[in-house]
Amino acid sequence: MRTPDISIEECTYSHVLEIVSNKWTALVIYSLENGTVRYGEMMGRIKGISQKMLTQTLRQLERDGLVGRKVTPVVPPIVEYTLTPLGETLIPCMRMLNVWATDHFPHVKKAREEYDIGETSGTIA
Amino acid sequence: MRTPDISIEECTYSHVLEIVSNKWTALVIYSLENGTVRYGEMMGRIKGISQKMLTQTLRQLERDGLVGRKVTPVVPPIVEYTLTPLGETLIPCMRMLNVWATDHFPHVKKAREEYDIGETSGTIA
DNA sequence: CTCCTTACGCACTTCAAGGTTCGTAACCGA
DNA sequence: TCGGTTACGAACCTTGAAGTGCGTAAGGAG
């Protein structure tokens, strides 16, 4: 009764996750942090991403207004991507998560290992 | 050549997402923000969650060392969950994302609508 | 005339997250 | 004896995210 019910729809936090929780989104934003990058160059920078996933991720970010897309209709084509001002506002948030991870992720890893040990051996005795 | 390649493994940011990007994780953490909560009470607070998903989410958070679990073996059983100190360190991060969402999500929504209009009608002409 | 390039789109497949339902221990009150 | 309670576990199904591979335009180099 004290605290009201929580739902996903009214939780703004969940909305942010919708935007940035995709597998490659963070890496794409990172690669744009220092300015405009061409499609092909991004492919080279982000290890392991496929053409399809890069395109798909960029389309989504473009749709959300976080990155801008500039096409130069020459042959072969030149397509350049840049963070929009809106997109740049995400950087501090991501940095904060980054700091948290650097500070606390080892702790999490340790907790996991201990938990898993307790799971496998502890239940027997 | 200027910036080195980025990969998911070395991106700490991606590790945090592993932890908190699950659908219900944020809501569960929120519900624990003001202190210890029993299992059944959480069910009532988090709208739409099923028993399975609540248990599953709590197990994961417990494994990651973010929430503590205390069982009182009476009948019917009493199980209480609490944020650990480590779990509490996540709150500021989540708040920041929350602020970002409140400030910028309307902008994102607008961008989406405009993009979708351009998609459906613009290509024809 | 043919191949090479860039930046895609499209079709197909795989896999894991999430959701639904049912069963369970153990005691207490009626 | 029997239903009610709490906090689960296990089996099953669905859906969507992610991965793989192929096709393509348009012109310039050879």
Side-chain angles (χ1 to χ4, degrees), chain B residues 1-124:
Chain B
M1 209 67 168
R2 195 150 301 128
T3 44
D5 290 351
I6 331 171
S7 73
I8 284 193
E9 297 83 35
E10 62 183 82
C11 179
T12 52
Y13 175 81
S14 304
H15 291 315
V16 191
L17 285 187
E18 260 179 51
I19 300 176
V20 292
S21 73
N22 307 320
K23 184 169 177 182
W24 301 102
T25 303
L27 299 185
V28 168
I29 291 178
Y30 272 147
S31 74
L32 290 170
E33 215 181 334
N34 302 325
T36 299
V37 179
R38 281 187 67 177
Y39 180 90
E41 205 192 339
M42 283 187 84
M43 277 291 298
R45 289 204 195 170
I46 303 173
K47 196 180 157 191
I49 199 170
S50 67
Q51 288 190 334
K52 179 206 163 186
M53 290 316 294
L54 179 54
T55 303
Q56 192 174 300
T57 306
L58 285 167
R59 281 297 111 79
Q60 258 188 84
L61 290 171
E62 194 196 348
R63 189 174 104 100
D64 290 341
L66 302 175
V67 309
R69 180 180 133 108
K70 185 195 162 199
V71 184
T72 309
V74 293
V75 170
I78 295 176
V79 184
E80 289 165 318
Y81 293 94
T82 318
L83 275 184
T84 62
L86 178 61
E88 284 170 9
T89 63
L90 262 178
I91 301 282
C93 296
M94 293 176 54
R95 279 222 197 290
M96 188 162 182
L97 289 186
N98 229 303
V99 169
W100 187 92
T102 312
D103 291 349
H104 301 291
F105 196 71
H107 195 147
V108 170
K109 267 189 73 174
K110 215 183 109 203
R112 282 184 184 170
E113 286 163 16
E114 284 168 13
Y115 183 92
D116 291 344
I117 289 172
E119 281 295 283
T120 46
S121 69
T123 320
I124 301 171

Side-chain angles (χ1 to χ4, degrees), chain A residues 111-123:
Chain A
R112 282 184 184 170
E113 287 163 15
E114 284 168 13
Y115 184 92
D116 291 344
I117 289 173
E119 280 295 284
T120 46
S121 69
T123 319

